[in-house]
Amino acid sequence: MDRLTEEQRHRNMAAIHGKDTKPEILVRKFLFSRGFRYRLNHPRLPGHPDLVLRKYRTVIFVNGCFWHGHENCKYFRLPKTNIDFWQKKIERNKERDKKEQCQLAAMGWHCITIWECQLKPKIRMQTLESLAYTLNHIFLEDRKVKAYEMPESDDGLMAAESRFPYEKIENAKHV
């Protein structure tokens, strides 16, 4: 049984915002203190990611366990009332998240999702250190010197060479 009236519950749920949440601010403060610079909620990217690090070609989503349906998480539990509505809403959120991450990956962006439960005090520093390590790894991998290999070709022609011997072309011009 819910301790709040229907009107109180409605006002409570409506007051929850999608930007500047406590978990998001924790991640932002950590990244900024480590020298990472980012933009917030970039309007031209699918899903308006919470953090966009262009230098690292990476976007970060800081997801609430309830709103995004974090599987096997103790903080994700469907409400006992209006079950059908909440199931559909959370499934739509999960589908939208997958679609947006696929679009971002197709555009060449690395996508990182940090769940609210990963920012609880016991494991917060481990999560944030892991995030910094991952970003540095992405940066180094994207800028790694790649050796260029000449493709093996059958005819041995260079791009500027003609397929015809020089004498045939010259003879064709004089005819």
Side-chain angles (χ1 to χ4, degrees):
M1 184 76 185
D2 197 0
R3 286 180 271 143
L4 302 176
T5 67
E6 195 171 314
E7 178 61 29
Q8 289 172 323
R9 176 64 61 204
H10 175 76
R11 267 189 273 123
N12 192 10
M13 296 306 267
I16 299 170
H17 296 285
K19 295 179 184 176
D20 298 330
T21 62
K22 184 178 176 182
E24 185 182 327
I25 290 172
L26 284 170
V27 173
R28 286 171 19 192
K29 284 184 176 183
F30 174 80
L31 289 176
F32 194 86
S33 72
R34 293 296 176 97
F36 294 99
R37 298 301 179 251
Y38 49 81
R39 294 285 175 254
L40 301 176
N41 309 102
H42 197 289
R44 283 189 250 151
L45 290 176
H48 308 286
D50 297 317
L51 302 167
V52 178
L53 294 96
R54 285 184 56 209
K55 178 178 178 180
Y56 301 86
R57 198 103 176 113
T58 301
V59 297
I60 300 173
F61 291 96
V62 182
N63 288 349
C65 295
F66 172 75
W67 296 104
H68 296 270
H70 191 196
E71 298 292 325
N72 303 320
C73 176
K74 69 179 184 178
Y75 299 104
F76 171 63
R77 190 172 38 94
L78 279 174
K80 303 266 190 273
T81 57
N82 211 356
I83 296 169
D84 195 38
F85 166 79
W86 286 110
Q87 271 182 327
K88 288 178 183 175
K89 177 167 185 57
I90 290 169
E91 281 304 313
R92 280 193 318 266
N93 288 350
K94 288 165 80 172
E95 294 287 323
R96 187 191 65 228
D97 291 346
K98 283 181 193 173
K99 181 180 152 210
E100 289 165 351
Q101 288 193 5
C102 286
Q103 289 174 331
L104 287 162
M107 294 167 68
W109 289 90
H110 301 278
C111 296
I112 298 174
T113 301
I114 299 176
W115 292 97
E116 173 185 18
C117 63
Q118 294 172 321
L119 295 171
K120 295 297 179 186
K122 283 185 178 178
I123 59 171
R124 178 182 303 156
M125 282 316 294
Q126 178 184 350
T127 301
L128 295 174
E129 291 293 341
S130 175
L131 174 63
Y133 176 83
T134 302
L135 289 171
N136 285 320
H137 182 74
I138 288 170
F139 182 78
L140 293 173
E141 282 298 311
D142 283 353
R143 281 148 185 83
K144 188 182 280 186
V145 175
K146 295 172 183 92
Y148 179 76
E149 296 178 20
M150 288 290 290
E152 297 292 325
S153 63
D154 298 338
D155 55 12
L157 295 175
M158 295 299 280
E161 293 180 351
S162 170
R163 291 195 176 274
F164 303 106
Y166 293 110
E167 58 198 44
K168 287 184 181 176
I169 294 174
E170 289 179 14
N171 291 340
K173 289 181 185 175
H174 295 296
V175 176

